[in-house]
Each structure stands twice: as structure tokens, then as C-alpha cells.
Amino acid sequence: IRSSTKMILNFAYLVLCIVTVTAFRNFPTKSLKYKSTHESIGVFRAKTEEGVEIEDKITSPEIEATLKKIAAVKIYIDETKANLKSANVELSKLDAEYGSEIARVKKEFARIKERSYEEAAEISSSAKIAALKEVLPITDNYFRAKKVFEPLQTEGEQRILNTYDEIFSSFNNVIEGFGVKRVDSLGQPFDFNMMEAIMTIPSNEYAKDIVCTEYQVGYRMGDKCVRPAMVVVSLGPGPQ
């Protein structure tokens, strides 16, 4: 409302200036020199070259029409100012009555929106994890089957193993496309969030609480565990 009213006032002022300039530009001046004055537009004050002051009223139809337009514009401006004042008063009343309630509703809506986004992300993540758990045994079978080729004895076995690795690499790329990463466990401190210890043994090679053997690969999706790694944890050097 305030912006619209300001535009209307500016436009009215511009019209007033254009009309006034146009009217006086067409007025015959001849040898008269005008004095700067703040009198009414309808009054003409000037001096001749001899210094005689002349004062007369302008009564041309064009000036009369201009004065009527100016008066109408002034009335319109006054009405607009009154409407703006009334609107501001009403706006202040509404703000005092409903301002705090509107702010509370906005905050509540923001919380609901954020909570809905988190719930949707959680549902999507849970669905991916449930689907991936069904296909992860394929990776276990790959690692078990690969041990059959060790040690490699012929070039034919090497070609078979290369083809086998290519197929598994493609499958692994699909899994990683869902944001799933392998849990690095061997030689790492035991993490109960991502690993599951099936036993503990003394070890001269690994310090205490370090994973010394990995029996099954674990997978994670961000900070969530898709499947824990099955590991053996070192107790440190045993008795001599």
C-alpha cells in the first residue's frame, strides 16, 4: 500500500509540473520580464523595460482548464494520503492483534517442513539399506570363490580371474552408486558401531583392541551401518 501510494503521489506531481510548464510556455511574453514570485498561478506579475509593474489575472481558457486539473490532482492527492493513513492505522491494529500469532505459525511451519524432510530422508535411507542387505551376500560369495584361484597356475586361470574381477567391479560400482562404502577394519581400532567381534586373540603383530583378522566385509552408508564387519580383535602380546 505504501509503495503504491508513493508512486501515485510522484505521478501526480509530475503531471502538475508538465501541465504548468506547458501552459506558461504558450503565454505571449513580448517585451515583458517576469519576476520570481511564489504567488498563485492565476496571477500574472511582471515589469516592463521601463520598470512599470503590471499585475493582472490570467483568464485564458487554457490556463483555467489547467487550474481545474491542478485542483483535481490536489484533491486526489489529499484523498490518497487519507486512505494511506487509514490503511496504516488498520495495519497497526492487525499487527498488534495477530502479529505474534503469525510469527508463531511461521516458526511452527518451518519446524514441520524440516521434520518432514528428515523423515523422508530417513525412509529413503532405510529402504536402500533393506534392499542392499539382500544383495550383499553376492559380495561374500565373490571373496570366497576368488580364493579358489589362488595360487594361479596357468594363463587361462589368470584370464578367468580377470573376467571375474571385471564383473565384480561392475557390481560393486552399482552398490557404491547407492552411497554404500566398504568398512575398513583390518589394522584399525575396533569400532562397535561398524564392527562385530567374533573373538579376541593374543597377537604380537597388532596392539590391543586392533582388528587383526576380517572374516566378513562390512558396509556402511554415511554414518549408518548397513552390515557390520565380522572381525577378530587383538588382545596384544600374550605371555612369553
Side-chain angles (χ1 to χ4, degrees):
I1 295 174
R2 295 175 182 172
S3 176
S4 300
T5 304
K6 186 176 181 180
M7 292 176 62
I8 293 172
L9 294 177
N10 290 337
F11 177 74
Y13 178 74
L14 179 61
V15 171
L16 176 61
C17 293
I18 293 174
V19 172
T20 304
V21 171
T22 302
F24 280 99
R25 183 179 294 174
N26 298 328
F27 190 80
T29 58
K30 294 183 179 181
S31 61
L32 299 179
K33 295 181 180 179
Y34 294 97
K35 296 194 322 180
S36 177
T37 177
H38 298 286
E39 299 293 337
S40 172
I41 295 177
V43 178
F44 172 74
R45 295 179 182 275
K47 277 188 179 182
T48 64
E49 294 180 352
E50 294 77 11
V52 179
E53 290 190 359
I54 298 175
E55 179 177 335
D56 195 5
K57 291 186 176 181
I58 301 173
T59 58
S60 69
E62 184 177 351
I63 297 300
E64 290 180 356
T66 300
L67 293 175
K68 289 181 180 179
K69 290 181 180 179
I70 293 174
V73 171
K74 286 183 176 180
I75 293 174
Y76 181 73
I77 290 174
D78 292 338
E79 290 177 351
T80 303
K81 287 181 177 180
N83 292 336
L84 176 61
K85 184 178 180 180
S86 176
N88 286 335
V89 171
E90 184 66 21
L91 181 61
S92 298
K93 290 181 180 179
L94 292 175
D95 186 61
E97 185 174 358
Y98 301 107
S100 59
E101 186 67 17
I102 292 174
R104 186 189 65 79
V105 171
K106 285 183 177 180
K107 290 181 180 179
E108 184 64 24
F109 178 76
R111 286 195 293 267
I112 292 174
K113 184 178 180 180
E114 183 178 358
R115 187 164 57 249
S116 299
Y117 175 79
E118 292 176 352
E119 290 176 355
E122 180 66 24
I123 292 173
S124 176
S125 178
S126 298
K128 289 180 180 179
I129 291 174
L132 289 168
K133 284 182 177 180
E134 298 297 324
V135 299
L136 287 181
I138 298 176
T139 63
D140 300 331
N141 293 332
Y142 164 78
F143 290 116
R144 295 189 187 102
K146 189 174 181 179
K147 294 179 180 179
V148 175
F149 295 95
E150 298 175 354
L152 298 175
Q153 297 178 354
T154 65
E155 292 183 0
E157 290 179 349
Q158 182 63 57
R159 287 194 297 270
I160 293 173
L161 180 61
N162 292 340
T163 304
Y164 197 71
D165 287 339
E166 290 176 2
I167 295 173
F168 178 76
S169 179
S170 299
F171 176 75
N172 197 57
N173 290 337
V174 173
I175 293 177
E176 291 182 353
F178 287 93
V180 177
K181 301 293 183 182
R182 180 173 175 174
V183 176
D184 294 328
S185 60
L186 188 62
Q188 301 297 319
F190 177 75
D191 182 2
F192 65 89
N193 293 313
M194 298 292 174
M195 305 173 191
E196 182 177 341
I198 58 177
M199 69 175 66
T200 57
I201 60 173
S203 174
N204 294 324
E205 183 179 357
Y206 295 95
K208 184 178 181 180
D209 295 331
I210 300 297
V211 176
C212 57
T213 304
E214 181 183 66
Y215 279 107
Q216 180 175 277
V217 177
Y219 292 91
R220 61 181 177 83
M221 179 184 291
D223 295 333
K224 291 186 176 181
C225 179
V226 177
R227 189 184 73 178
M230 307 293 287
V231 298
V232 176
V233 181
S234 171
L235 294 175
Q240 298 300 325

